[in-house]
Amino acid sequence: MQYTTFAAIDIGSYELSMKIFELSSKMGMREIDHIRRRIELGMDTYRSGRISHDLVEELCEVLQDFKRIMGEYRVSDYRICATSAIRETKNTILVLDQIRTRTGFETEVLSNSEQRFLGYKSIASKETNFRSIIQKGTAIIDVGGGSIQISLFDRDSLQSTHNLRFGTLRIRERLAALEGSSLRYGDIVEEMINTDIYNFRRLYQKEQKIENIIIVGEFINQMIQRITKDTQEHFVTCDNFMKFCDEAGEQAPEQIAQELGVPAENSAMILPALVIYRRLVTEIGADYIWAPGVELTDGIAYHYAEQNKIIKFQHNFDNDILAAAKNIGKRYMCNKTHIAVVSELAMIVFDATKKLHGMGKRERLLLQIAVLLHDCGKYISLVKVAECSYSIIMSTEIIGLSHKEREIIANVVRYNTLDFETFDNIVDKEQLDVGSYQIMAKLVAILRIANALDRSHKQKFKNCKAVLKEKELIITVNTVEDISLECELFPEKAGFFEEVFGIQPKIKQKKKI
């Protein structure tokens, strides 16, 4: 049987974790080893903004040991991901350079949306339970050392996802002076997080009925096992979970740690975790909790197996990204009928010009998202639509996209109506490289002509087709309506398309009045 030995490494806020998997089409994902080493990188980041030299030294030593273990298992491929502790530190570049120099490892710093998407994929790796649970209203709560992510599902579709900037380690560091001196420490933690949780419930969950909560985070598996008294059981009722939280809240952290079988050095983060879980379960108001017992490393391996077509999974994650974008558009009251037509036209043009642009499935997805959000700025201003749309996209997390991809989308939307700037001018504002600039230009050119074809917002065209003929892209439209407006304004948008692709788009009307 053919299989791939893969190592997934997570450089987290307070520990390094490595899982080694055997991946095969027949057996799926099989974990064969799990190694954890405690290093509180987040302690430095959240307290001073920089990771100290001593911690970087310790980090590199652990990674060297991981490298040795990978060699023993004859690992054929690996991926190393760092999260908020390295993402938020001021010396990120220097830390990554030290890792590269000392270990030879290339480390990928995940944006929050990328991190949470992999966390979501780790849950999806438990396919049978996952697919059945998210058919009903479900909240996925991912609690990390630096922040938590709440994603809302309904009928197998991702409705929205939101980041709350408090996590177990960040809370501990911010309230370190009160931890041992106040008998009300748990109440103080609750006061600190209450407003954010209430605002999430009021603004985003609203009246949505949530029946199930899926929780991924530190200590949750031990808590569930303590409630069920069964190491194999991962489901509890919310009522039983709340009873456990009330009883545990009366105990000292060290006592809770002992009962849960948690190392003593982790006891200081148990109470913040307990308060977070209790407040979220109370506010969301679900019936059941499922703790699948997975980590980011499971999502890393799942993603690798999916991308390399080693394992075929049932769930379509691109649809989740699109669903999240659609819900952002809904929030800002985008014109659904106009967007549907422009989206169809944009995909027709994209597919017809594949030989010219050389872009693939991922860029097609970025174009779809840009179409969904290209008018969202009208919610704020009918005059400064481009800049407002740009600001909304850059300020709104879209799960599954990197920061660079979000920049590309935001700029495609911005330059849909504004004059397209030179690379040097854009680089002064953004962190885009030449390749990203080229992708952006191609997507802008396609979006412009697709949008121009529905300039009246009357959806005049039916069954459109696009065909390349020598130096022209012939867009055949089937309509008996008057398209004088579209034909008059089309050349203005077609000029940039010709500049980018070297061909001239033209409208051909199949039926006339």
Side-chain angles (χ1 to χ4, degrees), residues 188-205:
I188 294 170
V189 171
E190 189 167 321
E191 286 178 21
M192 178 181 176
I193 67 177
N194 260 345
T195 301
D196 285 342
I197 292 176
Y198 170 74
N199 285 335
F200 160 78
R201 172 73 174 82
R202 179 175 61 87
L203 294 172
Y204 302 114
Q205 185 182 343

Side-chain angles (χ1 to χ4, degrees), residues 98-339:
Q98 282 291 304
I99 293 173
R100 186 184 306 109
T101 303
R102 296 274 301 277
T103 69
F105 283 143
E106 292 292 335
T107 303
E108 182 180 352
V109 181
L110 300 175
S111 67
N112 183 68
S113 60
E114 289 175 298
Q115 173 189 342
R116 303 307 178 168
F117 197 55
L118 288 175
Y120 164 44
K121 285 191 171 185
S122 71
I123 299 168
S125 68
K126 307 290 185 180
E127 280 197 296
T128 303
N129 286 332
F130 173 72
R131 292 180 64 197
S132 62
I133 287 174
I134 63 172
Q135 299 302 318
K136 299 178 181 180
T138 300
I140 294 180
I141 301 173
D142 183 357
V143 178
S147 67
I148 71 172
Q149 193 80 14
I150 309 175
S151 302
L152 301 179
F153 282 79
D154 194 24
R155 297 175 186 173
D156 197 23
S157 176
L158 176 63
Q159 300 297 306
S160 61
T161 182
H162 308 279
N163 187 252
L164 304 182
R165 202 173 173 79
F166 55 81
T168 52
L169 186 58
R170 194 188 298 272
I171 289 173
R172 195 197 76 180
E173 291 309 307
R174 292 188 65 182
L175 300 181
L178 299 174
E179 185 179 346
S181 61
S182 175
L183 296 176
R184 295 183 56 253
Y185 181 67
D187 294 334
I188 294 170
V189 171
E190 189 167 321
E191 286 178 21
M192 178 181 176
I193 67 177
N194 260 345
T195 301
D196 285 342
I197 292 176
Y198 170 74
N199 285 335
F200 160 78
R201 172 73 174 82
R202 179 175 61 87
L203 294 172
Y204 302 114
Q205 185 182 343
K206 297 182 180 177
E207 300 304 316
Q208 182 181 352
K209 169 62 179 171
I210 300 297
E211 297 188 28
N212 304 303
I213 295 177
I214 302 173
I215 302 182
V216 176
E218 198 63 42
F219 316 122
I220 188 62
N221 299 320
Q222 294 94 325
M223 291 178 186
I224 299 299
Q225 289 164 12
R226 178 75 173 77
I227 296 167
T228 63
K229 297 179 173 57
D230 183 354
T231 58
Q232 302 302 315
E233 183 59 63
H234 302 287
F235 289 89
V236 296
T237 65
C238 288
D239 287 343
N240 285 339
F241 184 77
M242 292 302 295
K243 288 177 185 177
F244 165 80
C245 290
D246 291 340
E247 292 171 1
E250 300 296 323
Q251 300 175 315
E254 295 78 11
Q255 185 179 352
I256 305 172
Q258 186 176 8
E259 289 188 9
L260 296 180
V262 172
E265 62 266 25
N266 290 346
S267 62
M269 288 185 292
I270 289 182
L271 191 55
L274 193 67
V275 174
I276 290 171
Y277 295 141
R278 182 175 60 192
R279 284 296 301 122
L280 285 170
V281 170
T282 300
E283 200 68 45
I284 290 172
D287 300 321
Y288 294 95
I289 294 172
W290 176 44
V294 293
E295 300 180 359
L296 182 66
T297 44
D298 296 279
I300 294 171
Y302 184 103
H303 181 77
Y304 177 86
E306 179 190 35
Q307 294 298 107
N308 289 275
K309 299 179 180 178
I310 299 171
I311 304 172
K312 187 176 181 179
F313 300 104
Q314 298 295 319
H315 193 74
N316 189 320
F317 293 97
D318 284 354
N319 286 346
D320 290 325
I321 299 173
L322 287 172
K326 285 177 183 176
N327 280 289
I328 294 168
K330 182 179 178 181
R331 188 189 313 163
Y332 292 102
M333 299 182 181
C334 295
N335 186 324
K336 289 200 302 184
T337 52
H338 170 65
I339 285 171

